[in-house]
Every structure is written in C-alpha cells, then in structure tokens.
C-alpha cells in the first residue's frame, strides 16, 4: 500500500513537472518555411531550465550580459565608450578597486568563482568574455 | 596584494551577509571607504602591510565568526541562525583538557593553594 502511494505521488509529480519549451535536438537543416518561427533571440529568457537544456553560452549573450552589467555600474561615467573591446581603466576610467568590483559582479552574474590569479588578469570586456566562454559551468 | 585582500574581503562579506542586501551593500561601502582612505600609502611600507593584514583579519572574522539571525516571530526570544559551512565551530576540546589547571578540575587529585 505504501509503495503504491509513493508511485502515485511520483507519477503526479512527473505530470506536474514543467515541460521543456525548446526541443532537445534541433534539426540541422531547417526548412525555410519554419525558419522565422524557430529562431530564438540570443538573450532568450527561459524561466525554467531543464536538465536537457544546452549548457553552452553564446558569445553574444555573454557580451550582452557583461555590457548590461557595466552599463549599470555607477562608476562608469561615459557609457558611450563602452564597446566590446573597452579596457576597464583606459577607456572606462575605472581604478583597480573598481576593476575588482566589476570582476566580482561578473562572478555573481554567471554564478562562478574566478580564482585570484585569473581574476587579476581580467582588464577588459574582451578578456572577461573570453574567460566566461572558456568556463563550462558558467551560466 | 591589496587587491587580493579587497577581493577576499568582498567575498567574505558576500558569505556573511548573503540574502541581506542592505547589510551587504553597507559592508561593501565600508570596505571601499577604508581602502580609499589608505590609497596614499607607499607600496612596500610597513604601514601598508599592517593595513593589508588588518583587512585579511576582518575578512576571516566576517567569514568565520559572524552569523546572522532572524527572529522567528514577534516577541519570541528565538532566532533562527544562518550558520554556513565557513562558520567556525568549536569542538569542545578545551573543556576536556582544562582539568587539572583550573579550580573546577583541581579538587580531585592536586591541592589548590596549599593551605
């Protein structure tokens, strides 16, 4: 009796679990008819992450998130200088303490921990993007 | 060196005040203010190493000896403490080894104040 109760509750839980919106594997060659509907924007917000969701981050998404983060960082005075190649201190006018704060914020954004040695080497947006792309567990 | 200390301090604040945004922001401001205050120190001087040691000690204290508690309900004197993996926990070693040198443990065998 106990076993059937467990089975029943498990079945219910399985039914209640959210279904993944995106298919696990997309066909390599898409027919041109459906192309427009299937392309998802790079900054696609997915409220539920399934285990089957692909883990890799696209370069554009990483860059976009880092740029947004810097845009909202109050020490960056001149946001017009903010590009994919900007250097934290030369272009954005950040000092070394600000750079540490930016790297910490990037850690929080991608929920990873960057070791001190690597963190000291990140001085520009490009460095940061490259580092995040090289991390398999960044998300 | 100072940057590593600053990073370490920010990490500790994040661990100690996780989930308490006001306190976390205040701690970050305080850390920043103190580091700004010592900006003029000469690299390699004795004062700067003293200040860096101080920062490392504050970071260690925040990480290991600060826990935040939340009152369970109004008026009740019960708090739920958020003890995390870095919190320093005693193993009660000194209770065991204390016998013999203290007044409490001395009564059995040795005489205390020969009188």
């Amino acid at each position: 009796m106990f076993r059937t109760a467990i089975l029943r509750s498990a079945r219910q839980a399985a039914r209640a679990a959210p279904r993944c919106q995106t298919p696990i594997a997309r066909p390599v060659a898409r027919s041109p008819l459906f192309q427009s509907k299937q392309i998802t924007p790079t900054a696609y917000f997915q409220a539920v992450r399934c285990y089957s969701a692909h883990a890799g981050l696209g370069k554009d998404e990483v860059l976009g998130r880092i740029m947004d983060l810097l845009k909202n960082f109050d020490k960056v005075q001149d946001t017009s200088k903010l590009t994919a190649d900007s250097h934290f201190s030369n272009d954005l006018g950040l000092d070394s303490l600000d750079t540490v704060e930016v790297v910490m914020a990037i850690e929080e954004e991608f929920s990873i921990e960057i070791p001190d040695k690597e963190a000291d080497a990140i001085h520009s947006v490009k460095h940061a993007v490259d580092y995040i792309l090289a991390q398999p567990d960044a998300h | 060196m100072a940057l590593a200390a600053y990073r370490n301090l920010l990490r500790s604040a994040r661990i100690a005040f996780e989930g308490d945004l006001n306190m976390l922001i205040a701690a970050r401001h305080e850390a920043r203010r103190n580091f700004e205050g010592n900006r003029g120190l000469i690299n390699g001087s004795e004062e700067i190493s003293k200040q860096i040691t101080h920062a490392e000690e504050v970071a260690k204290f925040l990480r290991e000896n600060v826990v935040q508690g939340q009152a369970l309900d109004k008026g009740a004197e019960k708090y739920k403490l958020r003890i995390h993996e870095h919190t320093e926990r005693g193993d009660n070693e000194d209770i065991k080894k204390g016998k013999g040198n203290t007044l409490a443990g001395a009564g059995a065998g040795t005489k205390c104040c020969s009188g």
Side-chain angles (χ1 to χ4, degrees):
Chain A
M1 198 191 95
F2 192 56
R3 190 167 155 265
T4 52
I6 290 176
L7 275 176
R8 200 178 303 133
S9 63
R11 216 174 292 137
Q12 268 170 356
R15 212 175 298 141
R19 291 276 180 269
C20 222
Q21 293 295 311
T22 47
I24 294 166
R26 293 208 188 97
V28 180
R30 298 196 201 104
S31 85
L33 264 175
F34 298 107
Q35 207 162 24
S36 61
K37 277 183 185 171
Q38 285 210 348
I39 289 176
T40 47
T42 44
Y44 177 61
F45 179 71
Q46 198 176 3
V48 178
R49 273 189 86 89
C50 298
Y51 284 112
S52 56
H54 76 129
L57 288 167
K59 191 173 180 175
D60 291 342
E61 191 193 338
V62 172
L63 182 63
R65 277 161 72 178
I66 290 178
M67 298 274 263
D68 278 348
L69 189 148
L70 282 166
K71 234 176 264 168
N72 296 325
F73 193 64
D74 49 2
K75 306 254 173 49
V76 178
Q77 297 107 356
D78 194 0
T79 43
S80 63
K81 280 190 182 167
L82 186 56
T83 63
D85 307 301
S86 2
H87 192 274
F88 290 152
S89 57
N90 297 348
D91 299 322
L92 303 176
L94 300 178
D95 65 15
S96 54
L97 291 180
D98 294 326
T99 307
V100 171
E101 286 176 21
V102 167
V103 174
M104 293 281 292
I106 291 173
E107 281 188 1
E108 280 173 28
E109 171 71 26
F110 294 94
S111 40
I112 50 167
E113 187 150 321
I114 306 178
D116 279 3
K117 214 175 142 213
E118 276 96 351
D120 287 337
I122 297 176
H123 291 297
S124 67
V125 177
K126 195 172 173 300
H127 277 146
V129 173
D130 290 346
Y131 183 81
I132 297 294
L133 285 177
Q135 298 302 306
D137 50 353
H139 52 82
Chain B
M1 197 59 188
L3 292 181
Y6 188 56
R7 187 176 300 120
N8 194 7
L9 189 53
L10 290 184
R11 285 222 169 101
S12 294
R14 191 162 71 190
I15 291 167
F17 305 123
E18 195 189 333
D20 184 351
L21 205 59
N22 290 337
M23 199 60 207
L24 183 58
I25 290 171
R28 282 181 181 167
H29 274 283
E30 184 65 19
R32 178 78 194 212
R33 203 176 58 76
N34 279 287
F35 271 81
E36 289 286 355
N38 291 325
R39 192 179 274 280
L41 294 181
I42 302 142
N43 226 348
S45 65
E46 194 182 321
E47 181 63 17
I48 203 165
S49 55
K50 214 169 104 189
Q51 291 294 338
I52 287 173
T53 316
H54 176 68
E56 297 284 3
E57 279 169 0
V58 171
K60 188 170 184 292
F61 187 82
L62 274 180
R63 195 182 290 243
E64 295 181 0
N65 302 109
V66 173
V67 286
Q68 284 195 309
Q70 197 167 21
L72 285 177
D73 54 291
K74 269 182 199 163
E77 289 172 343
K78 278 188 183 167
Y79 287 84
K80 190 173 171 59
L81 294 182
R82 199 174 54 76
I83 293 175
H84 45 78
E85 53 175 325
H86 303 283
T87 310
E88 185 181 1
R89 268 160 276 198
D91 50 7
N92 281 359
E93 261 314 299
D94 24 348
I95 287 182
K96 287 176 219 155
K97 76 177 178 205
K99 293 217 165 141
N101 325 339
T102 57
L103 286 174
T110 52
K111 261 188 193 170
C112 168
C113 340
S114 56

